[in-house]
Amino acid sequence: MTARWHLLMWPPLLLSLALLVGSQSIFLRGSFFADLRVGRLGSELTLQNYWRVASDGFYLSALWLTVRLSALVVVFTFVLGYPTAYILARMRSVWAPLLLALLVATSFVTIVIKVLGLVILFSPGGLLNVSLLWLGLTDQPVSLRGTEFGVVVGLMYFTIGFFVLLLYGVVRTIPRSLEQAAQLLGAPRWRVFWRVVVPLSLPGIITSALVVFNLCMGAFTSAALIGAGRILTLPVLIQRTVMLDARYAMGATLAAVLLLCGLAINLISILAVGRLKAARRVVA
Amino acid sequence: MMARALSGTWLALVFGFMIAPLVVVAGASFGRGGRTAMIDFPPHELTWQWYLAIPGDQVQALALSISLALACALAAALLGVPAALGIVRGDLPGRRAIAALFRLPLQIPAVVVGVSFLQLYYIVGDVIELPLVGSFWGLALAHLFIALPYVVGSVVAILNRFNMRLEEAALVLGAGRWSTFRRVTLPVIMPGVFAGAVYAFMVSFSDLPVALFLAGQGFVTFPVAIFQSLDYDFSPSMLALSTLIIVFSFVVMVVVQRSIGLTNLLHTGGAG
Amino acid sequence: MMRRLTIAMAALGVLAAGAAQAQEPRFDGVTLRVATFGGGWDKAVHEFIGVELEKRGGKVEYVLAPPREALAQLIAARGRAMPFDVVEMSDNTWVDTFEGKFLQKIDLSKIPNKKDLETFQYDDWKVASWNTQEGMIYDTAKFKAAGIPAPQHYRDMADPRLAGKVLMIDVSQAGSVHFLVGAARDAGGSDANLQPGLDLLSSIKARSYWKLGAEALTLLETGEAWIATMHAGFAIQGKKKGMPVAFAHPVVGTNRGILKEGWLGIVRDSKVKPAAEFFINAYIDSEAQEKLALKRGVVPVNKVARAALDKDPVLKDTLLLSDADVRNTMRVDWQKLDLDYSEKWGRAVAK
């Protein structure tokens, strides 16, 4: 019976692969030809575009920035989102589903509009900055626009809702009785949380963290609007190369580099998690 | 008691962070906006005028976006659930790599998705007569491409927590395969399907770059309409419409949660 | 005698009818597809221009693709049937659209309204559709309080007192090139040598770079920015809403003010060229230009329409309207322009 489960996977996998390979092979193929602008390609195969990217600190630092910001979003999303999901899942109150719905509803407003709200929130004479200045936490009005922190925050406005909604479901599959048993045995609450709940929800955490990471690697709108032309992530540069310069070969090269780098990070983290689990099993 | 106060404070902080920009948007949507140029917050004088001034074509764009997102979420759920079941239960070697493959579309920058699907549709159009360029279904297919990873990811996450003993028990007790799936498996993975489908909806609903390429004659999605208007033709009616979207999506979320019994069924979920 | 007169009258009548027909072409059953901006621009274009074609039996369909997206659609359709007949181009896309061989020649004799245009506003491949006047919007109250004189050159934004208060245009906006070229020429560079402009870009302590007009005006209003590189239409919007702003037309060598130009072109292989030419001619008609300008904050390319804007004191105060002033503005020479500008911009900002 188990043997046949995999049959279910093939239709969606084949469709997904057809769309992925179909669209990307047409576009990424361009990365192996000289760029003649206006979407035109040279006729001879060449690796010169890749060489240009690999030997240029400008593109490499954009790649590094993209990876770093995506990782930061994952970390912050986890730190803010996981306890939230846990608290909501364990809440014995009619408020829990309402709060969950509210959190998700915030994601429905496009970042294009949220940016306007953020501009007002962080205006120099606004409540937030006035109180920060008064508390002496800063000596200059804080702004999110044009800062790496701002881009991370902008991305989190999308990722937290997803993360919390999913982990809420995961935590609720962990029977409360397990925690109660551990507590009865005298373990303090935070220890139960850390040693029982977190490990049991780890597969869910890892899967959703990877979804969040991949999503950030390709994110454009938030980086462009809140990054405000200063935070040049690879998707922003790809957008410029393709749209402003109509240099498709170069854009394709950057997209291929981003894709490969993301895939590599995914596979490495899967391997690392596998190792970690194996090690645990040995310890146990 | 202390734990309770602590969790209360924590929730207040996180929700404050998430909601703050939207409070500004909602507040300014009631502002007259006369004295100030763009956004009147806190509003100096309350008014409904912007709610009455929401332009018809933005409502039309909104309706189009909603049907597009619904089609996308439905298709993503129908494809994503079997995919996740196959990945987790199929036990094929390299299934983690297959899961990573399903996630790949997420990190393709939207502009690349837009350009490459446009090219793909033209090439497909050379071979067979399929009106994909500039059509609703062409855009829906591209949205499905970027939305499917959410459903696969979230159902995999839930399935990983769920062992098959319940199902086996059901089968042993004589339930058919389909009824086992419907009565035992589906309720358990429902939170994952729900989370995935909601975000599949969201991806389609909030997409700007892909729709810029694939939208065609006379049909415009909501984010495109908003984005293009924000460039020159700003009006607080956009804030009003966004506020309505928050309220409406909140209500829909609550209703859906109730109707699929998300909160009740979870208690029984996969006691493993 | 009588009879002869009747014949003559009849002949005249036929002639007159023929002449009327020559002036009033019909486009029954013709559909013209126009790639244009969204966000209400398309509605305005239809209201003032598209209806003229409809009155004559034709139909206009609008593909809402701003110039960059329109170019991407043309590129994807290369070698196949093109997705539209008339394309709206910003000046920074027309070179690509032209070089990509996506345009066909316009029969200028079919565009009689060109009489109201300056000679640099049309050629065989394109006809100007609208202008904006690029420059600097600044907060007069903040400038006065800080004792900073009104800006004249782009380089005035490098004033140390303005550090962190400058809101620069983002390179993804068409007007970024006009800033670069203006700053470069003013400092001895040229359209091909943008280095002095890029140097200025890195030395101005910009707060950030704006992408959405509404957002930029909000930043000016909250005081986060004191000065922004934007076009004059935004200054008019701000002034009319009571913001304490003024607009400075940058001085570039002997020129004053910078023109950003929108263009119309006919897409190669278009089967409805006469309708396309009729549409373009209607677009630059003085009445249509005036209405479009008042509704959308652009500057007419038609001199009659431009002169008519004089009646509005805010417009008169903010825009360069006289023919002499418009001729003295700086215009980018796109065929000489260093086309790697966006990458160089990125590097200058990253510094």
Side-chain angles (χ1 to χ4, degrees), chain C residues 194-216:
Chain C
L194 297 172
Q195 200 49 49
L198 292 162
D199 290 343
L200 181 65
L201 181 68
S202 358
S203 68
I204 290 175
K205 301 277 179 291
R207 173 104 210 170
S208 53
Y209 302 78
W210 68 270
K211 277 179 95 77
L212 293 170
E215 189 195 8

Side-chain angles (χ1 to χ4, degrees), chain A residues 75-111:
Chain A
V75 170
F76 282 124
T77 303
F78 172 73
V79 168
L80 284 191
Y82 190 69
T84 309
Y86 177 76
I87 294 170
L88 289 178
R90 288 296 184 241
M91 217 177 187
R92 285 176 214 265
S93 149
V94 287
W95 287 99
L98 294 181
L99 284 173
L100 191 63
L102 182 62
L103 195 64
V104 175
T106 62
S107 299
F108 276 91
V109 173
T110 154
I111 188 76

Side-chain angles (χ1 to χ4, degrees), chain C residues 277-297:
Chain C
E277 283 160 346
F278 177 86
F279 182 86
I280 292 175
N281 190 53
Y283 208 123
I284 58 171
D285 170 72
S286 58
E287 204 177 313
Q289 282 279 312
E290 186 185 341
K291 287 178 180 164
L292 195 61
L294 289 175
K295 186 150 191 173
R296 300 294 309 190

Side-chain angles (χ1 to χ4, degrees), chain A residues 37-40 52 56 58-59 115 119-120 123-124 143 145 224 228-230 232 240 243-245 247-248, chain C residues 68 72 75 78 96 99-100 170-171 206-209 211 215 219 222 224 339-340 342-343 346-347 349:
Chain A
R37 291 189 175 277
V38 207
R40 288 170 302 192
R52 244 195 96 187
D56 191 333
F58 179 61
Y59 293 118
V115 160
V119 166
I120 299 292
S123 63
S143 171
R145 297 181 81 258
R230 296 183 81 108
L232 304 179
R240 287 184 182 177
M243 293 311 290
L244 287 185
D245 308 344
R247 290 190 305 171
Y248 280 37
Chain C
R68 292 269 160 221
I75 290 173
R78 202 193 308 264
D96 285 341
E99 297 280 333
D170 188 69
V171 69
R207 173 104 210 170
S208 53
Y209 302 78
K211 277 179 95 77
E215 189 195 8
L219 288 166
T222 61
E224 192 165 335
L339 290 175
D340 288 328
S342 98
E343 196 188 315
R347 289 175 198 271
V349 168

Side-chain angles (χ1 to χ4, degrees), chain C residues 7 9 12 23 28 39 64 98 136 155 166 188 192 199 204 225 228 239 253 292 295 304 333 343:
Chain C
I7 292 173
M9 291 277 280
L12 257 175
Q23 274 170 3
D28 297 291
L64 301 190
F98 175 73
M136 296 166 278
R155 62 170 181 265
V166 179
D199 290 343
I204 290 175
K239 281 182 183 181
L292 195 61
K295 186 150 191 173
V304 180
D333 187 341
E343 196 188 315

Side-chain angles (χ1 to χ4, degrees), chain C residues 65-271:
Chain C
R68 292 269 160 221
E69 278 75 18
L71 178 62
Q73 294 201 10
L74 292 174
I75 290 173
R78 202 193 308 264
R80 304 178 181 84
M82 291 290 160
F84 32 79
D85 304 296
V86 171
V87 57
E88 285 229 37
M89 299 170 286
S90 296
D91 47 9
N92 62 343
T93 56
W94 94 257
V95 174
D96 285 341
T97 316
F98 175 73
E99 297 280 333
K101 300 194 168 49
F102 295 117
L103 297 177
Q104 62 172 303
K105 280 194 178 181
I106 301 168
D107 180 355
L108 287 172
S109 71
K110 300 278 170 56
I111 317 284
N113 283 336
K114 69 177 185 294
K115 66 181 188 322
D116 293 335
L117 265 52
E118 299 290 338
T119 48
F120 58 78
Q121 287 175 319
Y122 56 86
D123 60 31
D124 283 346
W125 300 97
K126 61 187 192 297
V127 172
S129 49
W130 46 264
N131 286 166
T132 56
Q133 298 181 350
E134 297 294 320
M136 296 166 278
I137 301 183
Y138 62 100
D139 186 322
T140 46
K142 291 274 182 353
F143 267 61
K144 206 170 181 184
I148 309 171
Q152 288 195 312
H153 300 261
Y154 276 134
R155 62 170 181 265
D156 295 339
M157 290 189 291
D159 188 317
R161 285 170 292 184
L162 288 173
K165 298 292 178 196
V166 179
L167 182 60
M168 188 64 71
I169 192 166
D170 188 69
V171 69
S172 61
Q173 293 280 328
S176 59
V177 180
H178 304 79
F179 162 77
L180 263 192
V181 171
R185 282 199 204 170
D186 202 30
S190 68
D191 304 44
N193 171 24
L194 297 172
Q195 200 49 49
L198 292 162
D199 290 343
L200 181 65
L201 181 68
S202 358
S203 68
I204 290 175
K205 301 277 179 291
R207 173 104 210 170
S208 53
Y209 302 78
W210 68 270
K211 277 179 95 77
L212 293 170
E215 189 195 8
L217 282 185
T218 307
L219 288 166
L220 274 171
E221 194 184 14
T222 61
E224 192 165 335
W226 291 4
I227 182 165
T229 45
M230 298 181 91
H231 73 71
F234 288 108
I236 293 165
Q237 227 182 47
K239 281 182 183 181
K240 292 203 163 168
K241 286 184 174 170
M243 283 169 73
V245 289
F247 186 79
H249 291 279
V251 175
V252 179
T254 57
N255 297 128
R256 176 164 172 269
I258 297 176
L259 223 53
K260 186 171 82 193
E261 300 158 295
W263 300 102
L264 293 165
I266 303 179
V267 176
R268 199 181 68 178
D269 304 335
S270 168
K271 305 278 185 298

